[in-house]
Amino acid sequence: MKTFMRKSKLSPLTAVLTTAMLLGSGLAMAQAGGAPAQPGAPTTSTKAPEATYQSAGSPMAGEKMHQSSNPKAPPMTEAEFDRARQIYFERCAGCHGVLRKGATGKPLTPNITTGADKGTEYLKTYITYGSAAGMPNWGTSGDLSEAEVDLMARYVQHDPPMPPEFSLADMEKTRKIYLPVDQRPKRKMNNYNINNIFSVTLRDAGQVALIDGDTKQIINIIKTGYAVHISRLSASGRYLYVIGRDARLNLIDLWMAKPDNVAEMKIGLEARSVETSKYAGDGKKWEDKYAIAGTYWPPQFVLMDGDTLKPLKVVSTRGMTVDGEYHPEPRVAAIVASHERPEFLVNAKETGKVWMVDYTDIANLKTVQIDAAKFLHDGGFDSTQRYFLTAANASNKVVVVDTKTDKLAAVIDVGKTPHPGRGANFVHPQFGPVWATSGLGDDSISIIGTDPVKHKANAWKVVQTLEGQGGGSLFIKTHPKSTNLWVDTALNPDPKLSQSVAVFDIRDLKKGPQILDVAACANLKDDGAKRVVQPEYNQKGDEVWFSVWSAKNKESAIVVVDDKTRKCKTVIKDPKLITPTGKFNVNNTMHDVY
């Protein structure tokens, strides 16, 4: 593998002035609290990485919705409204919310978008030119035509259409059992080293690839939901749960001669998270007993039987934010299973609350809501698996929850828009046990002390900030047996950065990273994006796997790097590896090793 040292920054959006008029409305900003562009001001056509991330398409674009009318809004034909609704869910809902009430972006409801000082021409300017705070310049970038900009300016003055709810009965109607429990294997029926299997998301194909980590051979390509966001393992390691952005949940039995689906169910219209019960402390059989999944729409979570996906209890997350304001759409982001209690931890993104869900009595469900910080996203445990560290990404904070006491331990200021995945645990040569997160918004990598007993002075503080390649990082990773810390920059607009990774030596973090050109190692035959995303270790901790992610009609690959030498070891190519992104090793996912 070609290796080289490089030091580069994310180029900021072209500087733009802020008008007093827009300061009053706070319209259409992709990140809370940011400043918009001046009307007519030029901006770069390169989107900021957090804008790229937030404006990812929603699978709800084709859903039937109830439409109401607003007499103050400019006229639209039914065809125009339907086209604008599709564009909104493809481009805008990730920031501004399904109901346009505001999520990580500002509200776009008619009381804000209509009025004497607003209106179509006003809105067209900001949709065209964007803002320095992360609002994409949809017009000048060429993403939307002049006619589409006009369409969207009129659309956001209408009342937002209402998506359907999704009840327990609705879920049950979609549930399919492909192989009943009594017909499933009683023991493992294959010779695979299950602990070293990787579940690889094939994003645009609506599939996952199971790849043998020992032989590097594809075991099976399994049909799932669209753009699988996460793969999770049951406590026993037998069952693999995967959930797509379209809220399709699949249950895969790894004991089968050829692992495949045994059950599936739709839990809503859009989703991101799934987890299974893991607590083993009271002698009861909680392992594999329950599963839980959460949705972006409707804003709720559902508890299910672990081996059949039979839905048992659905709970809405609608309610008050940590600031004391009602929010109708708190999307469920990360869910993790406590190792300290028979509980799930559920992040309600917009309200900024972590729900502690006691699953000992589903019929009489007990929950505790911990006020944390708004815009909760992803996170993971510290090395002791007692403390849950999770990013409140648009608030630029990391929240720490003590799962032993069910209390908030800390709220920590970090770099811009942290996006840790599960984060990275290691022992710092100076500060002891730490957890690290990279981010979307800048080149900083925040290292947080996690030992309140032997290193109390360092606990729940940023003890060191590293300088990575630039913004646009999605994942950071290490392994207990490694001395390397790997950081991707998959959403950086500079191809040299998005196609490479930075690797730090944990023993000497001051010397800066080595940059590995992973995409070059893949030697792909066409001119695809070749974004290098999500380092993931194998079971032994001596290999780190990367996805080289290009478009659906372009060649992609998996690159396996020797962790010790930092050299390319294996390239996995196959026409069936369409848009590979997330990779989840069975052993590391099952035991929360990161």
Side-chain angles (χ1 to χ4, degrees), residues 168 171-172 175 241 243 247 249-251 264-267 273-277 288-294 301-314 335 344 359 362:
L168 211 61
M171 296 178 202
E172 180 60 30
R175 188 166 66 100
Y241 300 77
I243 192 161
L249 174 62
N250 289 77
L251 179 63
E264 73 168 58
M265 181 173 67
K266 281 271 288 183
I267 65 162
S273 53
V274 65
E275 184 59 287
T276 66
S277 52
D288 295 8
K289 186 172 178 63
Y290 296 121
I292 182 174
F301 58 87
V302 59
L303 293 109
M304 303 158 280
D305 279 333
D307 55 3
T308 66
L309 303 184
K310 180 176 177 58
L312 304 173
K313 175 82 76 174
V314 62
I335 302 177
F344 294 116
Y359 52 74
I362 301 293

Side-chain angles (χ1 to χ4, degrees), residues 37 104 168 216 248 309 427 447 464:
T104 48
L168 211 61
K216 314 299 188 293
R248 178 176 171 182
L309 303 184
V427 178
I447 300 177
Q464 186 175 4

Side-chain angles (χ1 to χ4, degrees), residues 557-577:
I558 304 292
V559 172
V560 181
V561 174
D562 185 296
D563 186 66
K564 184 176 181 180
T565 65
R566 301 179 177 179
K567 301 292 184 181
C568 176
K569 183 176 181 180
T570 306
V571 178
I572 304 172
K573 293 183 182 179
D574 192 289
K576 296 188 290 292
L577 289 180

Side-chain angles (χ1 to χ4, degrees), residues 295-333:
T295 45
Y296 269 24
W297 187 270
Q300 61 193 33
F301 58 87
V302 59
L303 293 109
M304 303 158 280
D305 279 333
D307 55 3
T308 66
L309 303 184
K310 180 176 177 58
L312 304 173
K313 175 82 76 174
V314 62
V315 180
S316 173
T317 55
R318 293 181 171 105
M320 308 305 288
T321 71
V322 292
D323 297 331
E325 298 178 353
Y326 178 75
H327 201 291
E329 195 187 334
R331 299 174 289 179
V332 175

Side-chain angles (χ1 to χ4, degrees), residues 392-550:
N393 53 16
S395 297
N396 304 325
K397 299 180 186 298
V398 165
V399 169
V400 185
V401 173
D402 185 345
T403 64
K404 189 171 185 178
T405 64
D406 279 6
K407 292 183 179 179
L408 182 70
V411 178
I412 307 161
D413 291 323
V414 295
K416 185 179 179 183
T417 323
H419 193 285
R422 292 289 188 149
N425 287 303
F426 59 94
V427 178
H428 193 284
Q430 180 179 352
F431 301 111
V434 296
W435 179 92
T437 177
S438 55
L440 282 158
D442 60 25
D443 63 5
S444 68
I445 300 160
S446 299
I447 300 177
I448 297 169
T450 60
D451 181 5
V453 178
K454 295 182 180 180
H455 298 80
K456 187 175 181 179
N458 303 326
W460 318 135
K461 299 176 183 177
V462 175
V463 296
Q464 186 175 4
T465 300
L466 305 179
E467 185 179 309
Q469 291 199 83
S473 176
L474 290 176
F475 297 101
I476 185 170
K477 192 63 67 77
T478 188
H479 189 278
K481 296 180 180 179
S482 175
T483 59
N484 288 327
L485 179 67
W486 301 86
V487 185
D488 70 19
T489 41
L491 293 188
N492 195 288
D494 183 344
K496 292 181 180 179
L497 276 61
S498 66
Q499 295 178 10
S500 62
V501 296
V503 54
F504 293 84
D505 186 340
I506 291 170
R507 297 166 297 184
D508 186 7
L509 292 167
K510 293 181 181 179
K511 69 181 182 181
Q514 180 184 5
I515 308 302
L516 304 185
D517 191 346
V518 176
C521 182
N523 194 28
L524 299 181
K525 62 187 177 183
D526 55 37
D527 59 350
K530 306 174 188 177
R531 297 183 182 276
V532 174
V533 64
Q534 204 215 24
E536 175 73 347
Y537 277 87
N538 65 343
Q539 179 187 7
K540 293 180 180 179
D542 59 3
E543 294 176 350
V544 60
W545 291 37
F546 296 92
S547 298
V548 183
W549 167 28
S550 287

Side-chain angles (χ1 to χ4, degrees), residues 103-318:
T104 48
K106 293 294 184 180
L108 292 177
T109 47
N111 64 308
I112 294 173
T113 57
T114 59
D117 60 339
K118 309 296 191 305
T120 303
E121 293 304 315
Y122 173 95
L123 294 165
K124 283 167 64 176
T125 298
Y126 296 105
I127 295 171
T128 298
Y129 293 104
S131 84
M135 168 72 176
N137 51 321
W138 296 113
T140 57
S141 67
D143 287 306
L144 296 181
S145 68
E146 186 175 342
E148 288 172 328
V149 168
D150 176 77
L151 191 70
M152 297 310 297
R154 287 183 285 139
Y155 173 77
V156 295
Q157 296 175 71
H158 284 260
D159 292 329
M162 178 63 69
E165 300 293 327
F166 213 81
S167 68
L168 211 61
D170 293 327
M171 296 178 202
E172 180 60 30
K173 289 177 184 177
T174 70
R175 188 166 66 100
K176 299 175 183 178
I177 300 294
Y178 297 116
L179 191 64
V181 173
D182 60 2
Q183 296 179 28
R184 295 176 194 171
K186 301 297 186 285
R187 58 182 177 82
K188 188 164 81 79
M189 300 300 291
N190 58 62
N191 294 321
Y192 300 117
N193 174 14
I194 287 179
N195 285 332
N196 202 32
I197 287 176
F198 287 77
S199 174
V200 179
T201 296
L202 305 181
R203 187 187 188 278
D204 295 337
Q207 300 169 331
V208 295
L210 300 185
I211 300 180
D212 187 326
D214 294 343
T215 66
K216 314 299 188 293
Q217 299 299 307
I218 296 174
I219 296 170
N220 197 10
I221 303 287
I222 299 174
K223 182 65 180 174
T224 62
Y226 167 72
V228 163
H229 193 71
I230 206 128
S231 295
R232 287 289 173 258
L233 272 298
S234 64
S236 68
R238 172 178 183 170
Y239 289 118
L240 174 69
Y241 300 77
V242 299
I243 192 161
R245 285 178 179 249
D246 58 359
R248 178 176 171 182
L249 174 62
N250 289 77
L251 179 63
I252 298 166
D253 189 349
L254 299 178
W255 279 13
M256 296 170 67
K258 187 176 184 179
D260 209 336
N261 283 315
V262 292
E264 73 168 58
M265 181 173 67
K266 281 271 288 183
I267 65 162
L269 302 181
E270 185 170 3
R272 295 294 188 278
S273 53
V274 65
E275 184 59 287
T276 66
S277 52
K278 293 183 178 179
Y279 182 67
D282 58 9
K284 296 183 180 180
K285 290 293 291 181
W286 299 120
E287 301 99 317
D288 295 8
K289 186 172 178 63
Y290 296 121
I292 182 174
T295 45
Y296 269 24
W297 187 270
Q300 61 193 33
F301 58 87
V302 59
L303 293 109
M304 303 158 280
D305 279 333
D307 55 3
T308 66
L309 303 184
K310 180 176 177 58
L312 304 173
K313 175 82 76 174
V314 62
V315 180
S316 173
T317 55
R318 293 181 171 105

